[in-house]
Amino acid sequence: MTDVLIVGAGPTGLTLACDLARRDIAVRIVDKSLDFPRSSRAKGPNPRSLEVLEDLGVVDEVLAAGSAPPPMRKYRGGLPIADADPFEGSRPTPDAPYDRSWLIAQWRLEEILRARLAEYGVRVELGAEVTGLVEADASVTVTFADGSETRTAYAVGCDGGHSAVRKLLGVPFEGRTTQEQMMVCGDVEVEGLDRGMWHQWFDEDGAVMLCPIPGTRSGWWFQAGPETDAAGAPVPPSQESFRRLFAKHSGLPGTRLSNATLLSTYRVNERLADRYRVGRVLLAGDAAHVHAIAGGLGMNTGIQDAFNLGWKLALVVTGRAGTGLLDTYEEERLPVAARTLDLTSDRLRATLEAIKKPGGGLDAAITAETTGLDGNYRWSSLARDGAAYGPRARLRAGDRAPDAPCRDAGTGTRVRLFEAFAGPHFTLLGFGAGTAEALREVAAEYGDVVRVHTVDGAGHEGLTDDEGYARSAYGITEDALVLVRPDNYVALIARAVDHGAVVDHLNRTALGRSGRVSR
C-alpha cells in the first residue's frame, strides 16, 4: 500500500512529492493529462518559494533556467511613455537571499521538479484520472477512470481549481467568478521586439501584454483583453485574433506574431475551500483556493502549501506524530489563503486603476507583501514564545526563520543558516555557550529528527556569527535556544537553559510520544 497518493502533477503536487520522497515516504503522483504541459502560464516563484526550492535542492537549476523579471515598458496609443522596474531598489540581504520573483516558464519549473523527483525513484504517472475515493480500514481506496483501484494511507488533491478530489469529497468551494473581467492568453512568437522589456500596451479600449519567456529565442507570453463580436460577446482566443489585437494596440504589423499555442481564456475567479482535510484526504494549491492573478501568488501559495504539509504528513505516516498534527495544516494555511484572496483582489483593483492613466502598468500589483517573506503563523498552536522572548521580541515564534552568513567554527569556511536548515529535519540553534547542555540533551533524545547547532558556542564546534548577522536577524541579546521547523519557520524561542521547553514543545505539538500512530 502506498503511504501517500498525490493527485495532480503541477508545481504544488511536485513540491509535495519531492519533500515526501526525500523523507523516504512511499509516494505516488498521478495526473489525468496524457502529456506533460508546455504552457508558460505562471510567471515564476516569488522569494519565499525560491527559499523552498533551495531547501529541495533545485534552486540553482531554477535560477539558471530563468531570468530576473525585465523592466516594464508601458505604451499609450502605440507609443512608449514610461519604463518601470519594480525591483530597481531591492537587493539581497543577509537574512533574505532572494529579493525578487524569478521569471521561468511553468513547464520548465515542472520539468526541473520532475527530474529531482526521479532522483528518488519516483515518476509522474500520466493518464490517471481519479473518479472515486472511499476511506475505510485506515486507508483510502482510489478508483481511476479505467476502472483500476489502489489503496493509500493518505491522498492529497493538488489537481487545480476544478479539482476532482475536492468534488468527490463534497467540500464547498465558495466565492465568485467575475465574468466581465477576463483575458485571452497564450504562448506566441514575436519578431522585432526588445526582449529586455516586458511590453504593456494599455489603451482606453483594451490592452495587450507581452512578457519574454526565458530560454527561448522569440517566445513570449501573450495576455490581452479579448476582442468582442457584433453582439458584444468575447471572441475566443486564436492566432488571428491575437494578431489583430497586437496590431491594434502596438501599431506594429500583426504578422510579426506567429505560432500562437496553448490558447486559453482567463476569468477572475476567487474561491476558497471551507476545509482542507476530510479524514485521510487533504487539499492543496488551486484545489483549495483560487484568486486574482495580480501579484502572481497562485502557484506560489500552492508551493508553500505543499512545504507546510510535507513534513507533517511524513511524521504522521511514519508514526512519529499523532494525526492531530495534520489539523495544523488547515489551521495555518487556510488563513494564509484567505489573506491572499484579499491581497490579490486589492492588487487587482490597484492595477485596474493604475492602467487608466498613461504610464500605469502591472508594477502596481507588486508590493512587499507579494514576496511571501513577511508571512507568519504566529496564531498557530505550533508557535510558542518563551518567557524571555515574548511579544516585544524582534522575531517571534511562527515567523519565517531568517538566513544569515556564519562560519564553521572548526574550519572557518562560510556556512549559511539556510544550509543548516536544509533537509527533512527540525533545527535547534543554541546561541551562546550557555546552551551547550540543552543542545546535548535534545540531540540525545531527538537526534534522528532534530539537528543541533551552536552559534558562538565554546570550542571549535558549531557556527561562529562573526559578523553578528545571525543574532541581529533573530533579535538575540542573550544566550537563547531557537527551534526551527522543517519548513523553516520558528517553532520556539526559549532561554538558554530551558531544554525542558524544547522537549515539551516537541512532545506536545510535533513529536508527541503519546500520540503515535501505526504506519
Side-chain angles (χ1 to χ4, degrees):
M1 183 174 71
T2 304
D3 288 334
V4 180
L5 176 72
I6 298 170
V7 183
T12 300
L14 289 167
T15 298
L16 181 59
C18 287
D19 198 25
L20 291 172
R22 68 175 177 167
R23 299 172 191 274
D24 295 322
I25 302 301
V27 61
R28 288 179 62 191
I29 178 168
V30 301
D31 198 285
K32 69 177 182 180
S33 299
L34 298 177
D35 299 295
F36 295 121
R38 297 286 295 183
S39 172
S40 299
R41 291 184 288 175
K43 295 295 191 301
N46 66 9
R48 175 56 191 153
S49 291
L50 287 170
E51 293 179 355
V52 172
L53 295 169
E54 178 178 344
D55 199 284
L56 294 177
V58 298
V59 75
D60 289 342
E61 293 172 80
V62 171
L63 296 176
S67 68
M72 300 177 181
R73 176 159 292 170
K74 278 77 73 70
Y75 301 78
R76 200 77 163 188
L79 299 175
I81 57 173
D83 290 349
D85 183 354
F87 302 105
E88 184 176 16
S90 65
R91 297 290 185 275
T93 59
D95 64 328
Y98 308 106
D99 67 316
R100 63 195 64 198
S101 297
W102 204 248
L103 196 64
I104 182 172
Q106 183 171 325
W107 68 264
R108 183 69 182 100
L109 175 61
E110 291 174 358
E111 191 173 67
I112 290 170
L113 287 169
R114 286 197 304 270
R116 181 62 167 163
L117 186 59
E119 293 177 14
Y120 299 109
V122 181
R123 287 175 170 76
V124 175
E125 302 170 38
L126 294 174
E129 181 179 358
V130 172
T131 57
L133 295 167
V134 177
E135 181 178 340
D137 301 324
S139 67
V140 180
T141 298
V142 180
T143 305
F144 297 101
D146 64 1
S148 63
E149 293 183 345
T150 190
R151 287 178 65 231
T152 181
Y154 288 90
V156 185
C158 304
D159 49 342
H162 298 288
S163 171
V165 172
R166 187 190 64 243
K167 293 173 182 176
L168 288 167
L169 294 175
V171 172
F173 201 43
E174 301 296 339
R176 62 175 184 151
T177 299
T178 308
Q179 295 292 342
E180 63 273 17
Q181 291 180 345
M182 67 172 62
M183 291 190 301
V184 289
C185 314
D187 284 349
V188 301
E189 292 187 8
V190 180
E191 297 293 342
L193 279 185
D194 181 357
R195 290 184 60 80
M197 289 289 175
W198 185 339
H199 301 272
Q200 302 169 13
W201 292 270
F202 292 109
D203 297 314
E204 293 183 6
D205 59 347
V208 166
M209 293 152 278
L210 281 167
C211 181
I213 301 172
T216 65
R217 182 186 64 81
S218 57
W220 299 77
W221 177 239
F222 178 100
Q223 296 169 285
E227 290 185 302
T228 55
D229 60 20
V235 174
S238 68
Q239 178 166 291
E240 288 308 311
S241 176
F242 283 8
R243 281 178 166 177
R244 290 191 296 268
L245 287 165
F246 175 65
K248 173 183 176 181
H249 293 288
S250 72
L252 299 172
T255 51
R256 288 193 181 183
L257 186 152
S258 62
N259 293 327
T261 59
L262 301 163
L263 311 182
S264 63
T265 298
Y266 168 83
R267 290 177 173 82
V268 174
N269 205 3
E270 299 171 310
R271 297 182 183 276
L272 180 63
D274 77 345
R275 58 191 184 278
Y276 282 15
R277 178 189 174 201
V278 179
R280 290 177 170 268
V281 186
L282 302 104
L283 301 172
D286 287 355
H289 46 74
V290 293
H291 40 76
I293 196 172
L297 294 177
M299 178 185 72
N300 288 290
T301 307
I303 287 173
Q304 292 156 39
D305 282 347
F307 205 51
N308 181 287
L309 177 58
W311 67 274
K312 298 173 180 178
L313 196 50
L315 287 173
V316 172
V317 164
T318 56
R320 292 303 306 264
T323 57
L325 182 60
L326 295 179
D327 292 332
T328 68
Y329 166 62
E330 177 182 306
E331 176 191 354
E332 293 182 341
R333 293 305 298 174
L334 195 150
V336 169
R339 287 206 310 271
T340 302
L341 261 70
D342 291 340
L343 173 60
T344 53
S345 295
D346 176 72
R347 290 299 88 206
L348 178 61
R349 286 191 295 270
T351 302
L352 292 175
E353 283 299 312
I355 64 177
K356 291 179 181 178
K357 301 175 182 179
L362 299 184
D363 48 313
I366 299 171
T367 69
E369 291 178 288
T370 60
T371 66
L373 297 178
D374 294 333
N376 67 76
Y377 304 125
R378 289 182 178 181
W379 66 87
S380 170
S381 60
L382 297 183
R384 180 183 173 191
D385 285 311
Y389 293 91
R392 296 182 182 178
R394 175 176 178 181
L395 194 73
R396 299 271 305 280
D399 289 349
R400 163 190 164 274
D403 195 11
C406 298
R407 289 190 184 275
D408 184 289
T411 66
T413 57
R414 279 289 179 195
V415 179
R416 294 166 53 218
L417 288 185
F418 276 7
E419 293 177 82
F421 299 159
H425 55 79
F426 287 82
T427 304
L428 181 61
L429 299 176
F431 286 87
T435 63
E437 183 178 355
L439 294 180
R440 281 194 298 269
E441 293 181 0
V442 171
E445 187 166 358
Y446 289 105
D448 56 335
V449 290
V450 182
R451 291 186 185 173
V452 301
H453 297 272
T454 61
V455 182
D456 292 334
H460 296 289
E461 297 180 356
L463 306 173
T464 300
D465 185 21
D466 58 328
E467 296 181 85
Y469 287 123
R471 283 185 177 268
S472 175
Y474 284 77
I476 302 298
T477 57
E478 57 186 80
D479 289 2
L481 296 164
V482 179
L483 180 66
V484 179
R485 299 170 10 166
D487 59 350
N488 301 349
Y489 282 85
V490 176
L492 170 72
I493 306 177
R495 293 177 298 125
V497 297
D498 202 355
H499 143 263
V502 177
V503 171
D504 179 65
H505 185 76
L506 289 169
N507 283 341
R508 287 191 311 105
T509 59
L511 301 174
R513 304 308 201 218
S514 62
R516 287 193 179 189
V517 295
S518 60
R519 188 165 184 172

